[in-house]
Amino acid sequence: MGLEHLVRATCVRCGSHYGTQGVYTCPGCGIEGILDLEYDYDAVARTLTREALRSRVGDLWRYLELLPVDSTRELPHPHVGMTPIYDVPRLAAAVGVRALKVKDDGRNPTASFKDRASAVGVLKAREQGSDVIACASAGNAAASLAGFSAAVGLKSVIFVPERTPEPKVAQVLIFGGTVLRVKGSYDDAYAVCQDACARFGWYNRNCAVNPYLIEGKKTVGLEMAEQLGEELPDWVVFSVGDGCTLAGAWKGLWEMHRLGFLSRLPRMLGVQAQGSAPLVDEYVRREGSIRPVEARTLADSIAVGQPRNWRKALRAISESRGAMLAVDDASILEAMRRTARLAAVFAEPAGACAVAGLTRAVEQGIVGRDESALVVITGNGLKDVRSATEASAQPIDLPADMAGLEQVLRARQLI
Amino acid sequence: MGLEHLVRATCVRCGSHYGTQGVYTCPGCGIEGILDLEYDYDAVARTLTREALRSRVGDLWRYLELLPVDSTRELPHPHVGMTPIYDVPRLAAAVGVRALKVKDDGRNPTASFKDRASAVGVLKAREQGSDVIACASAGNAAASLAGFSAAVGLKSVIFVPERTPEPKVAQVLIFGGTVLRVKGSYDDAYAVCQDACARFGWYNRNCAVNPYLIEGKKTVGLEMAEQLGEELPDWVVFSVGDGCTLAGAWKGLWEMHRLGFLSRLPRMLGVQAQGSAPLVDEYVRREGSIRPVEARTLADSIAVGQPRNWRKALRAISESRGAMLAVDDASILEAMRRTARLAAVFAEPAGACAVAGLTRAVEQGIVGRDESALVVITGNGLKDVRSATEASAQPIDLPADMAGLEQVLRARQLI
């Protein structure tokens, strides 16, 4: 359904308009010319109604009118999206806001937010007759792409930086994907992947430059709007690597406002890790360009030193009257503990980064103590067990005698 | 609601009936006297209707009439159950059955089936005024109990065998649980936990002996019946450790049949790992007793050498005209690969064990090639990355030059 509603693609850099077939980046601006897809929202509104949604299956395909896919094709079977949103008053108190909700996107099929993009990506690859789909990834997109390729019978090739956590590599391999480990950072892996796609004609899933992928990501915003309606909090908080997740979420929220599902829009708070914060840097400098950095943070999913989608992300911050800030790795580990213990959600470092950022935004007065917020946890902590272990106490070897056991238990106020 | 419908508890060994308050095992039979809870199904049927279910939230609390909890208390917030069921024709062809579905219970909050039991367990602990809840676990129940304890603000103490995979220990610790590592096997950890609960008055979550916990587990059967109705396949397949998961699922199916949601019941296939198969042994011998073994299998979640709930499990096999068999670890690893590549579900070894067992049951003529089956994947493979890595190919370090890269890609038919 979505394909018929697509109107045009617009370059986020120069504003030129294009048709929606076969163009991936603006011919005039090159790789900097990321495209944004526009739909005929009046046409969409005729069939995408509250009434219609009530009887649709609870996954991301419920928003087909707003997705750029050929819906006559078989959709990948893994159930993506409509992840739960919880009220978490104990975490709210710790963070310092009046009310807090978390949306646990680690509940997706391969345990991260990235499944929203991959579900669309493998369909686009199929539409274009590709047998092989490739991406560069710090880990989550890798596992996700491999899983969705397995679902539809595509071959996947994944370029990962050498320091990718073992669980994410294991996921790709078990799904039958080919993992090519690149010496260097995510940015190095990204460069090799771009070259390989151009040379071998593979379908390129890299979200940053592929305008279709962000359409999958925006479903998180569509969902929030449908799930919460007028209960949507004042602030929506995301961690930020490349920028396209926050930008996608904002697009989804904006569309639901345009369609009348929301009467007002929330403000967006984008949080980066201090060791990898070029968007925060540009948010402060406002020079209209990005200064690449060498990314250093344990939050590997957002360790992007040379972001590609920063224009879309900063536009979302600006349009929503939002803000950006950075937090250090120690705060991220502390947020992992708090999120697990006070909200019962085991977040990977990149997910917990958003919680840490909200805490800091309250301290700095950016977010008021009388305001409400929704934090999206973008990946399950099982994907990076080493960081979880670093954030935690150690297991205790059972003492040999009862006196020893009782001493341990008493110290922990368990008896 | 469920509490009012509880009629009595019956000992599975001697058949004596008891009230449903404060009794955990049959006073006459001791630890062997596992209890089974019965409900007033005519009363339940008055409010648990298809019509009523349509407007209830999609988690396990939708079956409150059939759960032994005080529903006036606040329910734990993590969203458990109503996990997706997929048609997987490519895996069906590989396994050799006419049609195959998988239910992905790794999609639960802490990524395993055990959350169904923990959700009920923490409520029962709260009802009884306990501040501390304990269990022995090979890993999944541990992570699950710690997560649900965090959700309701209970303290958790977990006894694990020394060889528990790191991801599962990391989960417990991040949720703030105390992990006591016991030298030896699951069975050793179980014994220490039983002693500690008795001595310190902690609430005992061990499923095997706690009759309330299996009521949480049965929701997987209730769901299958609701989700599939008359489309329910000929066989339902579970891996088996202690026996209470398969027994719980059967109870749920049986109840939905009793309530008129199903016109017929499926046959149950129970699969154990060869190195830990005392139930299969008794299924073959039919001597009315179990011979404990020293458990040796990589499928740690079902590595139970001294099962406690074998009577309930074997009764389910017998009542359903089902079967049991065992598979070796190599078949389990092969099933992990197949399930990931042909069904796009990353199963932990215990989950894949059920797929391996179904394959073997077809080879042996127990399950016909013209029959259909549903396999429940009880845990996500991220919980045991070491096994996934063992089951997989290795990542490839990017060759230094283009000629080297092309050679690698050609060998994999990627170009």
Side-chain angles (χ1 to χ4, degrees), chain B residues 11-50:
Chain B
C11 173
V12 294
R13 184 158 174 272
C14 73
S16 299
H17 301 302
Y18 299 96
T20 58
Q21 286 304 308
V23 188
Y24 277 78
T25 46
C26 171
C29 299
I31 195 81
E32 285 281 297
I34 311 282
L35 299 179
D36 188 27
L37 300 179
E38 291 173 47
Y39 298 77
D40 176 348
Y41 293 106
D42 295 324
V44 169
R46 283 196 281 277
T47 55
L48 189 69
T49 61
R50 263 182 225 286

Side-chain angles (χ1 to χ4, degrees), chain B residues 43-63:
Chain B
V44 169
R46 283 196 281 277
T47 55
L48 189 69
T49 61
R50 263 182 225 286
E51 184 56 34
L53 284 172
R54 250 193 291 276
S55 59
R56 294 188 187 176
V57 175
D59 67 13
L60 92 179
W61 304 118
R62 64 199 277 106
Y63 307 113

